[in-house]
Amino acid sequence: MDPYIVIAILITLSALFAYINLLYLKMPMSVGLMFLSLLLSLGLLFLSPFGPHTSVFARKVISGMDFSHLLLNGMLGLLLFAGALHVNLNDLLEEKLEIAVYATVGVVMSTVLVGSTIYGLSNWMGWGLRPVDAFLFGALISPTDPIAVLAILKSAGAPKRLETRIAGESLFNDGIGVVVFLVLLEIATGEAQLDAGTVGVLFLKEAGGGVVFGLISGFLVYKMLRRINHYQVEVMLTLALVIGGYNLAGYLHLSAPLAMVVAGLLIGNRGRRLAMSRDTRQHLDTFWKLIDEILNALLFVLIGLEVLVVTVNWPYIMAGILAVPVALAARFTSIGGPFLILKRWKNYPPRSVSIMTWGGLRGGISVALALSIPAGHHRELILAMTYAVVVFSVLVQGLTIRRLVGTTEE
């Protein structure tokens, strides 16, 4: 199908759903868009026996757009940069220890816990997963999605320090989680051997290289911004940094998500303060806020529509139902374990572990990673479990996190 027609349909649906949500549902925008999109998908599936042409056309539209490629190689860099651009670096540095621990140790802990539990359930239920397949699911479901988290946190009203920890963790654990997933995927497909040395080198190259690349590319653009005062060109330079830098980092096999987070933090803090006029800052903020909101709308509509390409049968439904508490329990443990150690030196608001557990939303990145798994590696089962966790995360956790935060404040 013509990609322009697909894009036209998605933009039209996004605008229509945003309008309906704003007037009638009044949910957080990301939650409302996904809810309406999911409702449309389920309606098409329900009506398919009576009007098969409609559901076939809908599946054709969705299958005609490579969601995994679109998000991981297109939208993700723009969304991460836009999110990092408005994060206060000083606030982030005050929480650097917690963010570093939760984004690294927490992701690895959760990956191991989810992978081990799912492998045990696989043996019990007869799913036939290999250990590496189970850990692949653990890696893609463990990091919280910064796109979903930042969208919800804007309206949740969490305490400032806790909001900074959750936002900072989600920005960095996303990059770490993608690296862990890619390392495991190379092992699963036979492209790498499972030994500590190989895994360590791959991880260091991807994650460490991504951070260094983000610093260098961000600094070069920062120096260019200092030499001019022309907001059109300055906005274009930041756009080139994201699109060009993200693709170059990927070509060099470095973590492009981490690179864009680091570049966004540098431009959003040092660049805004020292290299931009007030007029440029206003135009830059307006541009990236618009990019963020439009792409967020498209992303959550796409997540809801992806149910049309998920294999639905009773074993997969049961696997998805079981995966939800497994992912939540692993999140709680991977947050609570480090918390017991860190609280000796750091102050935490009441019920921090509960809020960080429930506020750790999964979103489009997990679905995109699941879709990137080659056929023959239990891709359909992993996708079904991933989709179940994401839907529960956005619709249930996303709708109730404000209530949990409000209870805490009381």
Side-chain angles (χ1 to χ4, degrees):
M1 178 173 286
D2 190 329
Y4 293 105
I5 295 177
V6 176
I7 292 171
I9 292 171
L10 289 176
I11 291 177
T12 302
L13 285 176
S14 299
L16 180 62
F17 290 164
Y19 180 80
I20 293 171
N21 181 65
L22 192 64
L23 277 184
Y24 303 110
L25 300 183
K26 303 188 186 303
M27 295 179 180
M29 189 58 70
S30 54
V31 179
L33 289 171
M34 182 175 163
F35 172 76
L36 290 169
S37 180
L38 186 60
L39 205 61
L40 173 64
S41 300
L42 294 175
L44 289 173
L45 289 174
F46 178 75
L47 295 173
S48 58
F50 310 100
H53 297 297
T54 304
S55 60
V56 168
F57 176 76
R59 285 192 179 93
K60 189 176 180 181
V61 170
I62 298 304
S63 59
M65 179 169 287
D66 189 339
F67 179 80
S68 179
H69 180 79
L70 176 66
L71 178 57
L72 296 178
N73 297 302
M75 298 169 67
L76 183 57
L78 295 163
L79 288 164
L80 288 175
F81 183 86
L85 195 66
H86 297 100
V87 173
N88 188 296
L89 186 59
N90 292 326
D91 292 341
L92 210 62
L93 290 174
E94 288 182 8
E95 311 295 333
K96 59 182 179 295
L97 176 61
E98 295 93 322
I99 291 171
V101 170
Y102 290 132
T104 54
V105 176
V107 169
V108 174
M109 278 182 64
S110 179
T111 299
V112 171
L113 289 169
V114 172
S116 302
T117 307
I118 290 297
Y119 181 63
L121 286 172
S122 173
N123 289 335
W124 180 46
M125 302 290 290
W127 298 336
L129 290 174
R130 299 175 299 164
V132 69
D133 298 324
F135 285 108
L136 264 180
F137 174 68
L140 67 87
I141 211 66
S142 290
T144 55
D145 190 329
I147 301 161
V149 170
L150 292 172
I152 298 298
L153 281 181
K154 289 176 184 177
S155 60
K160 180 64 178 175
R161 293 189 65 183
L162 193 56
E163 181 181 337
T164 300
R165 286 170 185 165
I166 297 174
E169 179 213 357
S170 68
L171 284 170
F172 284 98
N173 75 8
D174 164 63
I176 298 297
V178 171
V179 172
V180 173
F181 173 84
L182 292 175
V183 169
L184 287 170
L185 187 60
E186 289 192 17
I187 294 168
T189 55
E191 296 179 20
Q193 297 299 314
L194 182 57
D195 63 79
T198 302
V199 172
V201 170
L202 284 171
F203 188 84
L204 184 62
K205 179 188 175 184
E206 288 269 356
V211 170
V212 172
F213 183 89
L215 283 171
I216 293 172
S217 59
F219 184 74
L220 288 175
V221 171
Y222 159 74
K223 296 294 285 185
M224 295 171 71
L225 293 173
R226 289 201 67 175
R227 300 188 63 182
I228 59 174
N229 182 22
H230 191 278
Y231 77 82
Q232 294 97 327
V233 176
E234 292 178 81
V235 170
M236 286 177 63
L237 283 172
T238 62
L239 186 60
L241 166 63
V242 179
I243 295 177
Y246 191 90
N247 284 280
L248 180 58
Y251 177 77
L252 296 173
H253 299 289
L254 308 175
S255 175
L258 280 176
M260 290 306 100
V261 169
V262 172
L265 288 171
L266 194 155
I267 297 298
N269 288 270
R270 188 177 180 87
R272 283 168 58 87
R273 189 175 70 253
L274 301 175
M276 298 178 193
S277 66
R278 181 179 178 182
D279 191 37
T280 297
R281 285 196 295 269
Q282 289 177 342
H283 283 93
L284 185 81
D285 288 344
T286 301
F287 174 81
W288 281 105
K289 184 177 181 182
L290 194 59
I291 290 287
D292 185 40
E293 292 180 353
I294 291 174
L295 290 184
N296 258 301
L298 290 172
L299 175 60
F300 282 97
V301 168
L302 270 170
I303 294 173
L305 292 175
E306 282 296 316
V307 75
L308 293 170
V309 297
V310 175
T311 302
V312 180
N313 56 42
W314 177 245
Y316 285 7
I317 292 173
M318 179 58 67
I321 292 172
L322 292 173
V324 171
V326 170
L328 279 173
R331 170 73 179 169
F332 179 79
T333 305
S334 63
I335 292 295
F339 167 81
L340 293 175
I341 299 172
L342 291 171
K343 73 174 185 178
R344 300 177 183 178
W345 301 281
K346 297 287 185 176
N347 293 322
Y348 282 80
R351 300 179 65 186
S352 292
V353 175
S354 299
I355 295 174
M356 292 184 72
T357 299
W358 203 247
L361 308 181
R362 278 76 170 192
I365 293 172
S366 294
V367 176
L369 291 175
L371 286 167
S372 72
I373 298 173
H377 295 274
H378 297 281
R379 177 178 179 270
E380 296 303 318
L381 174 60
I382 292 173
L383 179 59
M385 292 192 294
T386 303
Y387 201 83
V389 174
V390 168
V391 169
F392 180 89
S393 176
V394 175
L395 294 186
V396 179
Q397 294 172 235
L399 281 175
T400 55
I401 184 63
R402 180 196 288 268
R403 189 177 305 169
L404 179 61
V405 170
T407 302
T408 301
E409 289 177 341
E410 290 171 7

PDB file of all heavy atoms in Angstrom, residues 205-228:
ATOM      1  N   LYS A 205      30.658  -1.271  24.024  1.00  0.00           N
ATOM      2  CA  LYS A 205      30.690  -0.568  22.745  1.00  0.00           C
ATOM      3  C   LYS A 205      29.365   0.134  22.475  1.00  0.00           C
ATOM      4  O   LYS A 205      29.342   1.310  22.091  1.00  0.00           O
ATOM      5  CB  LYS A 205      30.998  -1.559  21.617  1.00  0.00           C
ATOM      6  CG  LYS A 205      31.016  -0.899  20.241  1.00  0.00           C
ATOM      7  CD  LYS A 205      31.126  -1.911  19.128  1.00  0.00           C
ATOM      8  CE  LYS A 205      31.012  -1.224  17.765  1.00  0.00           C
ATOM      9  NZ  LYS A 205      31.025  -2.176  16.647  1.00  0.00           N
ATOM     10  N   GLU A 206      28.269  -0.582  22.681  1.00  0.00           N
ATOM     11  CA  GLU A 206      26.954  -0.007  22.381  1.00  0.00           C
ATOM     12  C   GLU A 206      26.617   1.141  23.329  1.00  0.00           C
ATOM     13  O   GLU A 206      26.308   2.256  22.900  1.00  0.00           O
ATOM     14  CB  GLU A 206      25.882  -1.100  22.488  1.00  0.00           C
ATOM     15  CG  GLU A 206      25.910  -2.120  21.371  1.00  0.00           C
ATOM     16  CD  GLU A 206      25.017  -1.749  20.211  1.00  0.00           C
ATOM     17  OE1 GLU A 206      24.310  -0.728  20.312  1.00  0.00           O
ATOM     18  OE2 GLU A 206      25.042  -2.468  19.204  1.00  0.00           O
ATOM     19  N   ALA A 207      26.649   0.853  24.646  1.00  0.00           N
ATOM     20  CA  ALA A 207      26.216   1.855  25.629  1.00  0.00           C
ATOM     21  C   ALA A 207      27.245   2.972  25.788  1.00  0.00           C
ATOM     22  O   ALA A 207      26.915   4.160  25.668  1.00  0.00           O
ATOM     23  CB  ALA A 207      25.959   1.177  26.967  1.00  0.00           C
ATOM     24  N   GLY A 208      28.488   2.605  26.068  1.00  0.00           N
ATOM     25  CA  GLY A 208      29.535   3.616  26.255  1.00  0.00           C
ATOM     26  C   GLY A 208      29.758   4.432  25.003  1.00  0.00           C
ATOM     27  O   GLY A 208      29.889   5.665  25.052  1.00  0.00           O
ATOM     28  N   GLY A 209      29.798   3.753  23.859  1.00  0.00           N
ATOM     29  CA  GLY A 209      29.977   4.467  22.595  1.00  0.00           C
ATOM     30  C   GLY A 209      28.832   5.413  22.301  1.00  0.00           C
ATOM     31  O   GLY A 209      29.042   6.504  21.767  1.00  0.00           O
ATOM     32  N   GLY A 210      27.610   5.005  22.650  1.00  0.00           N
ATOM     33  CA  GLY A 210      26.460   5.875  22.431  1.00  0.00           C
ATOM     34  C   GLY A 210      26.538   7.157  23.248  1.00  0.00           C
ATOM     35  O   GLY A 210      26.247   8.248  22.745  1.00  0.00           O
ATOM     36  N   VAL A 211      26.939   7.031  24.502  1.00  0.00           N
ATOM     37  CA  VAL A 211      27.073   8.214  25.367  1.00  0.00           C
ATOM     38  C   VAL A 211      28.140   9.156  24.817  1.00  0.00           C
ATOM     39  O   VAL A 211      27.936  10.372  24.724  1.00  0.00           O
ATOM     40  CB  VAL A 211      27.419   7.786  26.811  1.00  0.00           C
ATOM     41  CG1 VAL A 211      27.799   8.996  27.658  1.00  0.00           C
ATOM     42  CG2 VAL A 211      26.242   7.053  27.440  1.00  0.00           C
ATOM     43  N   VAL A 212      29.304   8.609  24.440  1.00  0.00           N
ATOM     44  CA  VAL A 212      30.396   9.432  23.901  1.00  0.00           C
ATOM     45  C   VAL A 212      29.971  10.101  22.600  1.00  0.00           C
ATOM     46  O   VAL A 212      30.231  11.293  22.375  1.00  0.00           O
ATOM     47  CB  VAL A 212      31.660   8.573  23.678  1.00  0.00           C
ATOM     48  CG1 VAL A 212      32.732   9.368  22.945  1.00  0.00           C
ATOM     49  CG2 VAL A 212      32.196   8.074  25.006  1.00  0.00           C
ATOM     50  N   PHE A 213      29.305   9.335  21.733  1.00  0.00           N
ATOM     51  CA  PHE A 213      28.830   9.894  20.465  1.00  0.00           C
ATOM     52  C   PHE A 213      27.851  11.038  20.712  1.00  0.00           C
ATOM     53  O   PHE A 213      27.901  12.072  20.033  1.00  0.00           O
ATOM     54  CB  PHE A 213      28.167   8.804  19.624  1.00  0.00           C
ATOM     55  CG  PHE A 213      27.710   9.273  18.271  1.00  0.00           C
ATOM     56  CD1 PHE A 213      28.577   9.222  17.185  1.00  0.00           C
ATOM     57  CD2 PHE A 213      26.430   9.777  18.082  1.00  0.00           C
ATOM     58  CE1 PHE A 213      28.161   9.671  15.930  1.00  0.00           C
ATOM     59  CE2 PHE A 213      26.010  10.226  16.837  1.00  0.00           C
ATOM     60  CZ  PHE A 213      26.880  10.180  15.755  1.00  0.00           C
ATOM     61  N   GLY A 214      26.945  10.874  21.679  1.00  0.00           N
ATOM     62  CA  GLY A 214      25.991  11.925  22.001  1.00  0.00           C
ATOM     63  C   GLY A 214      26.669  13.183  22.503  1.00  0.00           C
ATOM     64  O   GLY A 214      26.282  14.306  22.136  1.00  0.00           O
ATOM     65  N   LEU A 215      27.707  13.013  23.322  1.00  0.00           N
ATOM     66  CA  LEU A 215      28.461  14.165  23.831  1.00  0.00           C
ATOM     67  C   LEU A 215      29.169  14.899  22.704  1.00  0.00           C
ATOM     68  O   LEU A 215      29.124  16.128  22.619  1.00  0.00           O
ATOM     69  CB  LEU A 215      29.477  13.703  24.872  1.00  0.00           C
ATOM     70  CG  LEU A 215      28.946  13.375  26.266  1.00  0.00           C
ATOM     71  CD1 LEU A 215      30.031  12.730  27.120  1.00  0.00           C
ATOM     72  CD2 LEU A 215      28.411  14.630  26.957  1.00  0.00           C
ATOM     73  N   ILE A 216      29.821  14.157  21.826  1.00  0.00           N
ATOM     74  CA  ILE A 216      30.590  14.779  20.747  1.00  0.00           C
ATOM     75  C   ILE A 216      29.671  15.480  19.751  1.00  0.00           C
ATOM     76  O   ILE A 216      29.882  16.650  19.406  1.00  0.00           O
ATOM     77  CB  ILE A 216      31.456  13.720  20.022  1.00  0.00           C
ATOM     78  CG1 ILE A 216      32.538  13.202  20.964  1.00  0.00           C
ATOM     79  CG2 ILE A 216      32.095  14.307  18.765  1.00  0.00           C
ATOM     80  CD1 ILE A 216      33.324  12.030  20.406  1.00  0.00           C
ATOM     81  N   SER A 217      28.637  14.772  19.289  1.00  0.00           N
ATOM     82  CA  SER A 217      27.734  15.372  18.302  1.00  0.00           C
ATOM     83  C   SER A 217      26.967  16.553  18.897  1.00  0.00           C
ATOM     84  O   SER A 217      26.798  17.589  18.244  1.00  0.00           O
ATOM     85  CB  SER A 217      26.761  14.323  17.769  1.00  0.00           C
ATOM     86  OG  SER A 217      25.990  13.761  18.817  1.00  0.00           O
ATOM     87  N   GLY A 218      26.520  16.413  20.146  1.00  0.00           N
ATOM     88  CA  GLY A 218      25.825  17.508  20.804  1.00  0.00           C
ATOM     89  C   GLY A 218      26.722  18.717  20.995  1.00  0.00           C
ATOM     90  O   GLY A 218      26.292  19.867  20.805  1.00  0.00           O
ATOM     91  N   PHE A 219      27.991  18.484  21.352  1.00  0.00           N
ATOM     92  CA  PHE A 219      28.932  19.587  21.566  1.00  0.00           C
ATOM     93  C   PHE A 219      29.234  20.308  20.251  1.00  0.00           C
ATOM     94  O   PHE A 219      29.332  21.545  20.223  1.00  0.00           O
ATOM     95  CB  PHE A 219      30.224  19.066  22.185  1.00  0.00           C
ATOM     96  CG  PHE A 219      31.216  20.135  22.517  1.00  0.00           C
ATOM     97  CD1 PHE A 219      31.018  20.974  23.606  1.00  0.00           C
ATOM     98  CD2 PHE A 219      32.341  20.323  21.723  1.00  0.00           C
ATOM     99  CE1 PHE A 219      31.929  21.982  23.907  1.00  0.00           C
ATOM    100  CE2 PHE A 219      33.254  21.321  22.018  1.00  0.00           C
ATOM    101  CZ  PHE A 219      33.056  22.155  23.109  1.00  0.00           C
ATOM    102  N   LEU A 220      29.368  19.552  19.152  1.00  0.00           N
ATOM    103  CA  LEU A 220      29.637  20.180  17.858  1.00  0.00           C
ATOM    104  C   LEU A 220      28.488  21.093  17.451  1.00  0.00           C
ATOM    105  O   LEU A 220      28.706  22.220  16.976  1.00  0.00           O
ATOM    106  CB  LEU A 220      29.861  19.097  16.797  1.00  0.00           C
ATOM    107  CG  LEU A 220      31.176  18.326  16.884  1.00  0.00           C
ATOM    108  CD1 LEU A 220      31.207  17.202  15.851  1.00  0.00           C
ATOM    109  CD2 LEU A 220      32.365  19.268  16.677  1.00  0.00           C
ATOM    110  N   VAL A 221      27.255  20.619  17.624  1.00  0.00           N
ATOM    111  CA  VAL A 221      26.097  21.459  17.286  1.00  0.00           C
ATOM    112  C   VAL A 221      26.001  22.655  18.226  1.00  0.00           C
ATOM    113  O   VAL A 221      25.661  23.766  17.813  1.00  0.00           O
ATOM    114  CB  VAL A 221      24.804  20.616  17.313  1.00  0.00           C
ATOM    115  CG1 VAL A 221      23.569  21.501  17.177  1.00  0.00           C
ATOM    116  CG2 VAL A 221      24.826  19.578  16.204  1.00  0.00           C
ATOM    117  N   TYR A 222      26.333  22.441  19.502  1.00  0.00           N
ATOM    118  CA  TYR A 222      26.344  23.537  20.472  1.00  0.00           C
ATOM    119  C   TYR A 222      27.310  24.640  20.023  1.00  0.00           C
ATOM    120  O   TYR A 222      26.968  25.837  20.066  1.00  0.00           O
ATOM    121  CB  TYR A 222      26.722  23.002  21.846  1.00  0.00           C
ATOM    122  CG  TYR A 222      27.246  24.038  22.806  1.00  0.00           C
ATOM    123  CD1 TYR A 222      26.401  24.965  23.399  1.00  0.00           C
ATOM    124  CD2 TYR A 222      28.609  24.096  23.106  1.00  0.00           C
ATOM    125  CE1 TYR A 222      26.895  25.925  24.276  1.00  0.00           C
ATOM    126  CE2 TYR A 222      29.107  25.046  23.977  1.00  0.00           C
ATOM    127  CZ  TYR A 222      28.249  25.971  24.562  1.00  0.00           C
ATOM    128  OH  TYR A 222      28.739  26.911  25.416  1.00  0.00           O
ATOM    129  N   LYS A 223      28.505  24.264  19.561  1.00  0.00           N
ATOM    130  CA  LYS A 223      29.488  25.258  19.096  1.00  0.00           C
ATOM    131  C   LYS A 223      28.968  25.991  17.861  1.00  0.00           C
ATOM    132  O   LYS A 223      29.188  27.200  17.707  1.00  0.00           O
ATOM    133  CB  LYS A 223      30.807  24.559  18.776  1.00  0.00           C
ATOM    134  CG  LYS A 223      31.486  23.917  19.977  1.00  0.00           C
ATOM    135  CD  LYS A 223      31.957  24.951  20.990  1.00  0.00           C
ATOM    136  CE  LYS A 223      33.195  25.674  20.524  1.00  0.00           C
ATOM    137  NZ  LYS A 223      33.719  26.595  21.595  1.00  0.00           N
ATOM    138  N   MET A 224      28.263  25.274  16.989  1.00  0.00           N
ATOM    139  CA  MET A 224      27.683  25.914  15.803  1.00  0.00           C
ATOM    140  C   MET A 224      26.582  26.894  16.201  1.00  0.00           C
ATOM    141  O   MET A 224      26.465  27.994  15.623  1.00  0.00           O
ATOM    142  CB  MET A 224      27.131  24.841  14.859  1.00  0.00           C
ATOM    143  CG  MET A 224      28.198  23.928  14.270  1.00  0.00           C
ATOM    144  SD  MET A 224      27.507  22.514  13.369  1.00  0.00           S
ATOM    145  CE  MET A 224      26.848  23.335  11.917  1.00  0.00           C
ATOM    146  N   LEU A 225      25.773  26.526  17.181  1.00  0.00           N
ATOM    147  CA  LEU A 225      24.690  27.404  17.633  1.00  0.00           C
ATOM    148  C   LEU A 225      25.228  28.702  18.238  1.00  0.00           C
ATOM    149  O   LEU A 225      24.597  29.766  18.118  1.00  0.00           O
ATOM    150  CB  LEU A 225      23.822  26.676  18.667  1.00  0.00           C
ATOM    151  CG  LEU A 225      23.002  25.478  18.169  1.00  0.00           C
ATOM    152  CD1 LEU A 225      22.335  24.775  19.346  1.00  0.00           C
ATOM    153  CD2 LEU A 225      21.955  25.922  17.158  1.00  0.00           C
ATOM    154  N   ARG A 226      26.374  28.626  18.879  1.00  0.00           N
ATOM    155  CA  ARG A 226      26.946  29.816  19.524  1.00  0.00           C
ATOM    156  C   ARG A 226      27.379  30.863  18.512  1.00  0.00           C
ATOM    157  O   ARG A 226      27.484  32.046  18.845  1.00  0.00           O
ATOM    158  CB  ARG A 226      28.141  29.426  20.385  1.00  0.00           C
ATOM    159  CG  ARG A 226      27.780  28.651  21.645  1.00  0.00           C
ATOM    160  CD  ARG A 226      28.878  28.742  22.681  1.00  0.00           C
ATOM    161  NE  ARG A 226      29.019  30.098  23.189  1.00  0.00           N
ATOM    162  CZ  ARG A 226      29.849  30.435  24.184  1.00  0.00           C
ATOM    163  NH1 ARG A 226      30.592  29.512  24.776  1.00  0.00           N
ATOM    164  NH2 ARG A 226      29.930  31.687  24.580  1.00  0.00           N
ATOM    165  N   ARG A 227      27.640  30.447  17.275  1.00  0.00           N
ATOM    166  CA  ARG A 227      28.206  31.357  16.283  1.00  0.00           C
ATOM    167  C   ARG A 227      27.143  32.090  15.475  1.00  0.00           C
ATOM    168  O   ARG A 227      27.481  32.991  14.689  1.00  0.00           O
ATOM    169  CB  ARG A 227      29.125  30.587  15.326  1.00  0.00           C
ATOM    170  CG  ARG A 227      30.296  29.906  16.032  1.00  0.00           C
ATOM    171  CD  ARG A 227      31.281  29.330  15.033  1.00  0.00           C
ATOM    172  NE  ARG A 227      31.889  30.383  14.219  1.00  0.00           N
ATOM    173  CZ  ARG A 227      32.758  30.147  13.240  1.00  0.00           C
ATOM    174  NH1 ARG A 227      33.106  28.905  12.947  1.00  0.00           N
ATOM    175  NH2 ARG A 227      33.271  31.148  12.542  1.00  0.00           N
ATOM    176  N   ILE A 228      25.888  31.717  15.640  1.00  0.00           N
ATOM    177  CA  ILE A 228      24.833  32.362  14.846  1.00  0.00           C
ATOM    178  C   ILE A 228      23.666  32.777  15.739  1.00  0.00           C
ATOM    179  O   ILE A 228      23.533  32.300  16.861  1.00  0.00           O
ATOM    180  CB  ILE A 228      24.308  31.434  13.725  1.00  0.00           C
ATOM    181  CG1 ILE A 228      23.746  30.128  14.320  1.00  0.00           C
ATOM    182  CG2 ILE A 228      25.399  31.133  12.710  1.00  0.00           C
ATOM    183  CD1 ILE A 228      23.082  29.230  13.299  1.00  0.00           C
TER     184      ILE A 228
END
